[in-house]
């Protein structure tokens, strides 16, 4: 989570660093230029390290740790660690490595970005001026640069970091969130995505590639899945600005609330900062099942501070914790309820969602459809390898124009001429799932392969191979 205090907006997201959060904290240095930056001098390196050490000592979330990190970079400077570095970008990278080496704080970094200097806090420290719970127009709203600024344009070009929105088999919603954008238009974008998923029976939020962003967007999405009563979700303590506040869920949201729909959140080691905020809060509220890997452990809020000479530093200045227990996720991450390889997390969560939906069904036919679909998804999560020679023996054209082929080790099925071929999921060497239907292969008395199709309802039918 990144906060920057501005005179025009109490609490805003650092736009230029949204994508940097996903890439480990580095930031593009603005518009491309044919001219390379001037080589660094010893004077510049000393000035940057001196200002960096001062900012850490004044503003870092823990005073003793800030002093220790500041001493470390000063010692590295006097020890000659940076003497041969003349590239600003390389100098920023070296400082970032040294900053993080002390306590592993992933929000600490230095970037070279002369076109976009950070803030210079006043004597009162870095201020947040209030909790991010008051909606788009007030403190804690999306804020940020104007709608025609480069950051706003970039946000629109990535659809505000909202990826694929889909309806998975069994009426399970899916929403891929690559980052929590802070642009004003993100409110409408999030509302549109959630409206599309409104009739689903469960929702999966995919945060496996989410490096962070705006706590406003986090809180707005979470609030769609709680009651209208405001609920404390986080407590934030700001050492530098001498502020403490508790964030609450929103009393009103731009769309219908769904306080009981089952939720699942997919995580990985790349899920960081505001992505962890989303995961941490929903888990603590017992509002979602977390599936995947332990998150990054980047649990502080950070400000982007001007170091001079074109350099900025991201400095952690708050602690963020659960209001009830005081627990934090800094350095430890959020441990999933269902730990699995993140590459398998979607299939595992999908199967869990189908099981939950089926358990509440009174319609026996729909429950059977869900169970059959889940069986296929579970098999897909732990794929079975069928020998290539066996798959090849099934390939060909069958009666009524049904065709099977092998593509990259998968058996592909087209039920009618002109239909796209879809991959089958192996349940055994001779039985495969096609959605809720089952395809099995057998041989007749003459040894010829026959295809048997068993729909979820109705009569199983057998088809001879004609080619």
């Amino acid at each position: 989570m990144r906060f920057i205090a501005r005179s025009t907006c109490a609490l805003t997201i650092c736009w230029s660093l949204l994508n940097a959060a996903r890439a480990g904290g580095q930031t593009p240095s603005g518009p491309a230029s044919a001219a390379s930056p001037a080589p660094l001098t010893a004077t510049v390196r000393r000035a940057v390290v001196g200002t960096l050490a001062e900012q850490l000592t004044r503003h870092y979330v823990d005073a003793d740790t800030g002093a220790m990190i500041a001493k470390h970079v000063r010692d590295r400077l006097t020890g000659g660690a940076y003497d041969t570095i003349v590239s600003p970008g390389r100098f920023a990278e070296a400082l970032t490595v040294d900053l993080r080496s002390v306590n592993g704080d992933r929000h600490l970094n230095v970037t070279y970005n002369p076109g976009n200097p950070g803030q210079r806090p006043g004597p009162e420290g870095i201020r947040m001026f209030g909790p991010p719970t008051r909606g788009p127009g007030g403190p804690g709203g999306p804020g940020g640069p104007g709608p025609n600024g480069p950051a706003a344009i970039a946000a629109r070009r990535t659809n505000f970091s909202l990826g694929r929105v889909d309806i998975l088999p069994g009426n399970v919603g899916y929403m891929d969130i690559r980052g929590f954008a802070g642009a004003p238009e993100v409110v409408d974008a999030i509302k549109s995505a959630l409206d599309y998923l409104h009739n689903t029976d469960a929702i999966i939020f995919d945060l496996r590639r989410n490096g962070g962003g705006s706590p406003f967007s986090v809180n707005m999405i979470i609030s769609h899945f709680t009651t209208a009563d405001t609920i404390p979700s986080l407590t934030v303590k700001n050492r530098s600005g001498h502020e403490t506040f508790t964030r609450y869920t929103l009393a009103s949201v731009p769309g219908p609330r769904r306080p009981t729909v089952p939720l699942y959140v997919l995580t990985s080691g790349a899920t960081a900062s505001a992505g962890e905020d989303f995961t941490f809060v929903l888990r603590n509220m017992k509002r979602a099942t977390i599936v995947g890997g332990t998150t990054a452990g980047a649990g502080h809020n950070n400000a982007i501070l001007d170091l001079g000479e074109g350099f900025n530093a991201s400095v952690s200045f708050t602690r963020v914790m659960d209001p009830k227990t005081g627990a934090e996720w800094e350095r430890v991450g959020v441990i999933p309820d269902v730990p699995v390889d993140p590459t398998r997390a979607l299939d595992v969560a999908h199967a869990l969602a189908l099981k939950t939906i089926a358990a509440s069904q009174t319609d026996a036919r729909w429950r059977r459809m869900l169970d059959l679909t889940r069986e296929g998804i579970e098999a897909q999560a732990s794929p079975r390898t069928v020998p290539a020679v066996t798959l090849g023996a099934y390939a060909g054209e069958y009666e009524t124009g049904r065709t099977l082929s092998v593509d990259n080790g998968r058996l592909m099925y087209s039920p009618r001429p002109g239909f796209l071929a879809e991959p089958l999921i192996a349940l055994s060497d001779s039985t495969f799932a096609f959605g809720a239907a089952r395809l099995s292969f057998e041989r007749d008395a003459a040894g010829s392969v026959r295809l048997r199709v068993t729909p979820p309802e109705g009569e199983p039918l057998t088809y001879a191979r004609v080619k």
Side-chain angles (χ1 to χ4, degrees), residues 189-274:
I190 290 173
K191 180 182 183 301
S192 296
L194 295 179
D195 283 348
Y196 179 74
L197 301 177
H198 179 62
N199 292 315
T200 55
D201 294 319
I203 297 177
I204 297 171
F205 291 103
D206 192 344
L207 270 61
R208 291 175 293 176
R209 301 168 184 84
N210 190 308
S214 165
F216 168 82
S217 295
V218 169
N219 197 34
M220 189 180 71
I221 297 176
I222 288 174
S223 298
H224 280 81
F225 300 97
T226 62
T227 62
D229 295 331
T230 54
I231 303 169
S233 62
L234 285 178
T235 294
V236 181
K237 293 186 177 181
N238 173 9
R239 172 213 161 198
S240 175
H242 309 289
E243 297 173 303
T244 298
F245 68 79
T246 296
R247 186 182 79 186
Y248 290 81
T249 56
L250 302 176
S252 62
V253 294
R257 308 184 89 101
R258 303 191 66 190
T260 60
V261 64
L263 302 179
Y264 300 83
V265 180
L266 311 185
T267 59
S268 75
T271 307
S273 196

Side-chain angles (χ1 to χ4, degrees), residues 10-33:
L11 191 62
T12 70
I13 181 70
C14 178
W15 295 65
S16 64
L17 291 174
L18 258 177
N19 290 327
R22 302 180 205 140
Q26 292 305 303
T27 301
S29 57
S33 172

Side-chain angles (χ1 to χ4, degrees), residues 92-359:
E93 289 178 349
L95 289 172
T96 296
V97 170
D98 287 342
L99 288 172
R100 295 179 179 180
S101 69
V102 176
N103 69 338
D105 186 340
R106 291 181 58 168
H107 273 126
L108 286 172
N109 66 63
V110 174
T111 58
Y112 181 67
N113 195 357
N116 189 21
Q119 65 165 315
R120 287 187 173 274
E124 76 280 4
I126 303 170
R127 303 301 301 278
M128 295 187 296
F129 302 101
T133 59
R134 303 184 192 175
N148 297 318
I153 293 171
R156 286 194 290 270
R157 285 173 177 165
T158 61
N159 194 37
F160 309 100
S161 298
L162 300 179
R164 179 167 66 97
V165 180
D166 203 356
I167 310 296
L168 305 181
N171 199 33
V172 175
Y174 171 85
M175 185 172 175
D176 180 18
I177 308 177
R178 302 296 179 96
F180 290 98
E185 300 98 321
V186 75
V187 174
D188 291 335
I190 290 173
K191 180 182 183 301
S192 296
L194 295 179
D195 283 348
Y196 179 74
L197 301 177
H198 179 62
N199 292 315
T200 55
D201 294 319
I203 297 177
I204 297 171
F205 291 103
D206 192 344
L207 270 61
R208 291 175 293 176
R209 301 168 184 84
N210 190 308
S214 165
F216 168 82
S217 295
V218 169
N219 197 34
M220 189 180 71
I221 297 176
I222 288 174
S223 298
H224 280 81
F225 300 97
T226 62
T227 62
D229 295 331
T230 54
I231 303 169
S233 62
L234 285 178
T235 294
V236 181
K237 293 186 177 181
N238 173 9
R239 172 213 161 198
S240 175
H242 309 289
E243 297 173 303
T244 298
F245 68 79
T246 296
R247 186 182 79 186
Y248 290 81
T249 56
L250 302 176
S252 62
V253 294
R257 308 184 89 101
R258 303 191 66 190
T260 60
V261 64
L263 302 179
Y264 300 83
V265 180
L266 311 185
T267 59
S268 75
T271 307
S273 196
E276 293 175 282
D277 173 351
F278 186 87
T279 306
F280 182 79
V281 170
L282 286 176
R283 188 199 64 178
N284 291 343
M285 289 181 173
K286 302 186 185 304
R287 191 59 195 84
T289 300
I290 315 304
V291 181
T294 300
T295 63
H300 294 148
N301 294 322
N302 58 314
I304 310 306
L305 307 182
D306 184 8
L307 301 181
E309 306 295 344
F311 290 89
N312 294 328
S314 167
V315 175
S316 301
F317 71 103
T318 72
R319 293 177 58 193
V320 182
M321 62 203 72
D322 178 65
K324 293 182 179 179
T325 66
E328 303 179 41
W329 72 85
E330 174 67 20
R331 299 188 67 183
V332 298
V334 182
I335 299 172
D337 301 303
V338 184
V340 297
D341 184 332
T343 62
R344 298 176 49 230
L346 176 56
D347 287 334
V348 171
H350 188 185
L352 289 171
L354 292 170
K355 185 175 183 179
T356 299
I357 297 169

Side-chain angles (χ1 to χ4, degrees), residues 368-373 375 433-438 454-457:
R368 172 172 167 74
M369 183 81 72
L370 292 169
D371 289 340
L372 288 168
T373 302
E375 181 185 42
F434 183 64
R438 296 293 178 264
T454 304
E457 295 181 328

